[in-house]
């Protein structure tokens, strides 16, 4: 991960107790930088009835249950993974500054991404910064309660892009072999709710992204030499952005239903809406992807981005400016339609997120130890019970 000025990092070795005189920003920096490593596959904590007490006098003295800690740990891990992928996008197509440094930008890729919106570089930068603040806050909060934070530095082994602009640092996530499920696009435009209609198959917005493996960033400078394919790469990124963010859109309200501490509930329902803001922004930009068909000159895989406003697409199911969630059934088939986030069913939500990200290809090349560690975090988060 980049050394970000004034930003805490997930990697770090020594945990130092915070001084009571430190300003808030410095406090968060020290807490984030001091995240304790967790051994892959090791049990994170014991009985679900165990509580972690407050360490600092004068702060909120409410305890945090093991279940609440498990949910926050999983959320922190998810945010670290999000930060890793957003850093890669920012290095190549975002704004390079002291807030999110590391890369040097790729002018050709940036130009292709900006076809979707002229402010894409600013949006990518700000989304990246948001994800940094999420995991550093969550880890700092866990430490303030005497609970273990999470870092994934031991799994930072994947090679990233070697194209101009990339820092070339090892990564946690793979953006170059993605298989994207774009059914979220129609899920929010159809009067169906997967919580009540789990067997309903929502149509794919971009069916060809759901087969084969596609890159969302230029892998090498050679990719930049194929203008049509480069635009297809940028279009893929444009659909990957909301694909990622709609996951957090559901994760936080689903976990909030299991929170015991009112303060933990507040954290979950405060971070969650920012993920919704991200999703709302990115789904709007995805609709601006120019129609085209291109073939990957390396793998031979073809991708087609249709005009979603024209037959056989079009209508309310695919219309690109219908970005407000259509009303659907909520809680019961007997109640009136309501415009809501969906799904928010809490059962198995964390394991569902891990499966979704894994099926996407985001972890292609990662170790079995990484998979075991992430699944353990998810299982313990899903085991949390309100009031346990």
């Amino acid at each position: 991960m980049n050394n970000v000025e004034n930003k805490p990092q997930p990697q770090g070795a020594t945990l130092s107790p915070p001084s009571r005189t430190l300003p808030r920003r410095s406090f968060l920096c020290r807490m984030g930088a001091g995240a304790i490593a967790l051994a892959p596959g090791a049990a994170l904590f014991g009985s679900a009835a165990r509580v972690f007490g407050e360490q600092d006098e004068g702060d909120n003295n409410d305890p945090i249950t093991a279940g609440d800690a498990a949910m926050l740990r999983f959320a922190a891990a998810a945010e670290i993974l999000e930060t890793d992928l957003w850093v890669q996008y920012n290095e190549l197509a975002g704004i390079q500054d002291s807030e999110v440094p590391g890369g040097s930008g790729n002018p050709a890729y940036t130009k292709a991404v900006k076809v979707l919106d002229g402010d894409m570089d600013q949006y990518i930068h700000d989304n990246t910064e948001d994800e940094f603040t999420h995991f550093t806050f969550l880890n700092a909060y866990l430490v303030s309660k005497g609970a273990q934070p999470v870092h994934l530095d031991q799994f930072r082994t994947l090679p990233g892009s070697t194209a101009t602009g990339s820092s070339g640092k090892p990564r946690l996530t793979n953006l170059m072999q993605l298989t994207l499920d774009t059914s979220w696009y129609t899920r929010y435009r159809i009067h169906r709710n997967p919580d009540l209609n789990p067997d309903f198959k929502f149509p794919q917005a971009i069916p060809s992204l759901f087969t084969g493996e596609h890159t969302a960033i230029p892998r090498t400078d050679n990719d930049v030499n194929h203008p049509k394919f480069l635009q297809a790469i940028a279009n893929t990124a444009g659909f990957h952005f909301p694909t990622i963010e709609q996951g957090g859109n559901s994760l936080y309200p689903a976990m909030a239903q299991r929170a015991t501490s009112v303060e933990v509930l507040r954290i979950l329902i405060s971070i969650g809406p920012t993920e919704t803001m991200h999703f709302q922004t990115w789904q709007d930009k995805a609709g601006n992807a120019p129609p085209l068909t291109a073939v990957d000159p390396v793998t031979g895989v073809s991708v087609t981005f249709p005009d979603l406003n024209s037959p056989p697409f079009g209508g309310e199911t695919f219309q690109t400016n219908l970005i407000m969630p259509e009303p659907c059934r909520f809680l019961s088939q007997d109640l009136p339609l309501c415009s809501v986030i969906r799904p928010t069913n809490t059962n198995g939500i964390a394991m569902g997120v891990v499966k979704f990200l894994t099926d996407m290809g985001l972890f292609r090349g990662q170790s079995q130890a990484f998979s075991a560690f992430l699944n353990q975090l998810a299982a313990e988060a899903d085991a949390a019970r309100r009031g346990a």
Side-chain angles (χ1 to χ4, degrees):
M1 185 75 65
N2 306 330
N3 257 341
V4 177
E5 182 179 325
N6 290 329
K7 281 208 175 288
Q9 299 298 306
Q11 63 265 37
T14 306
L15 180 64
S16 303
S19 166
R20 294 290 292 167
T21 62
L22 281 177
R24 177 179 176 274
R25 190 173 182 88
S26 296
F27 170 79
L28 290 180
C29 286
R30 185 166 295 184
M31 288 300 96
I36 299 172
L38 297 176
L44 300 183
F45 48 81
S47 166
R50 176 184 170 193
V51 297
F52 299 100
E54 180 63 44
Q55 291 181 315
D56 247 342
E57 282 185 17
D59 290 332
N60 190 314
N61 289 317
D62 288 344
I64 179 172
T65 67
D68 281 357
M71 289 191 295
L72 295 183
R73 248 191 294 274
F74 180 76
E79 297 288 359
I80 290 171
L81 292 169
E82 273 196 279
T83 302
D84 181 81
L85 68 90
W86 278 111
V87 163
Q88 295 179 66
Y89 283 127
N90 193 73
E91 287 180 0
L92 293 167
I95 292 175
Q96 319 299 317
D97 61 14
S98 61
E99 290 180 329
V100 189
S104 57
N106 187 294
Y109 179 60
T110 300
K111 182 179 179 181
V113 170
K114 281 195 165 197
V115 169
L116 280 66
D117 189 282
D119 291 324
M120 289 290 272
D121 55 349
Q122 185 67 61
Y123 295 159
I124 290 170
H125 169 281
D126 291 353
N127 204 139
T128 307
E129 184 183 23
D130 283 359
E131 308 305 352
F132 266 114
T133 68
H134 287 170
F135 83 76
T136 52
F137 175 86
L138 290 166
N139 270 342
Y141 181 80
L142 284 163
V143 169
S144 78
K145 293 295 186 178
Q148 281 190 315
V150 173
H151 83 70
L152 303 176
D153 195 45
Q154 66 269 40
F155 302 116
R156 202 174 299 281
T157 59
L158 299 181
S161 169
T162 61
T164 298
S166 172
S167 68
K169 294 181 178 179
R171 314 293 185 178
L172 290 168
T173 57
N174 184 346
L175 300 182
M176 298 179 286
Q177 294 175 281
L178 298 175
T179 303
L180 298 187
D181 181 348
T182 57
S183 62
W184 54 265
Y185 187 96
T186 59
R187 185 197 323 147
Y188 279 98
R189 289 165 171 78
I190 291 177
H191 303 286
R192 297 271 191 155
N193 187 337
D195 284 337
L196 297 177
N197 308 109
D199 297 325
F200 181 80
K201 300 297 183 185
F202 292 90
Q204 297 287 327
I206 312 295
S208 59
L209 283 180
F210 199 40
T211 61
E213 298 175 4
H214 307 270
T215 186
I217 54 175
R219 297 159 297 197
T220 67
D221 283 335
N222 187 56
D223 284 340
V224 178
N225 296 328
H226 302 270
K228 190 174 184 180
F229 178 59
L230 181 62
Q231 188 60 57
I233 293 174
N235 286 8
T236 300
F239 275 89
H240 188 225
F241 298 166
T243 301
I244 285 291
E245 297 301 324
Q246 60 86 32
N249 193 45
S250 290
L251 174 64
Y252 280 95
M255 289 200 304
Q257 297 169 63
R258 293 176 178 263
T260 296
S261 162
V262 172
E263 193 168 69
V264 170
L265 174 64
R266 182 181 180 184
I267 290 171
L268 294 172
I269 64 174
S270 296
I271 293 179
T274 69
E275 301 290 341
T276 303
M277 293 171 73
H278 297 162
F279 171 57
Q280 185 79 337
T281 298
W282 294 126
Q283 69 158 327
D284 183 38
K285 306 315 171 192
N288 297 333
L292 61 84
T293 296
V295 177
D296 188 325
V298 175
T299 67
V301 173
S302 176
V303 62
T304 296
F305 293 89
D307 181 350
L308 293 171
N309 294 308
S310 300
F313 295 91
E316 288 192 356
T317 302
F318 293 98
Q319 189 174 326
T320 56
N321 64 354
L322 296 180
I323 62 170
M324 307 301 176
E326 287 294 314
C328 65
R329 296 295 176 189
F330 181 50
L331 298 182
S332 168
Q333 298 285 6
D334 298 326
L335 293 172
L337 297 176
C338 183
S339 180
V340 295
I341 299 299
R342 64 257 202 185
T344 55
N345 187 348
T346 187
N347 293 329
I349 181 64
M351 290 297 289
V353 167
V354 171
K355 182 180 186 305
F356 179 76
L357 296 178
T358 302
D359 290 347
M360 182 189 300
L362 202 61
F363 306 138
R364 283 194 175 103
Q366 270 291 2
S367 65
Q368 287 295 320
F370 171 83
S371 178
F373 184 62
L374 201 58
N375 276 280
Q376 179 189 345
L377 287 174
E380 290 176 337
D382 282 339
R385 293 293 182 272
R386 183 175 177 81

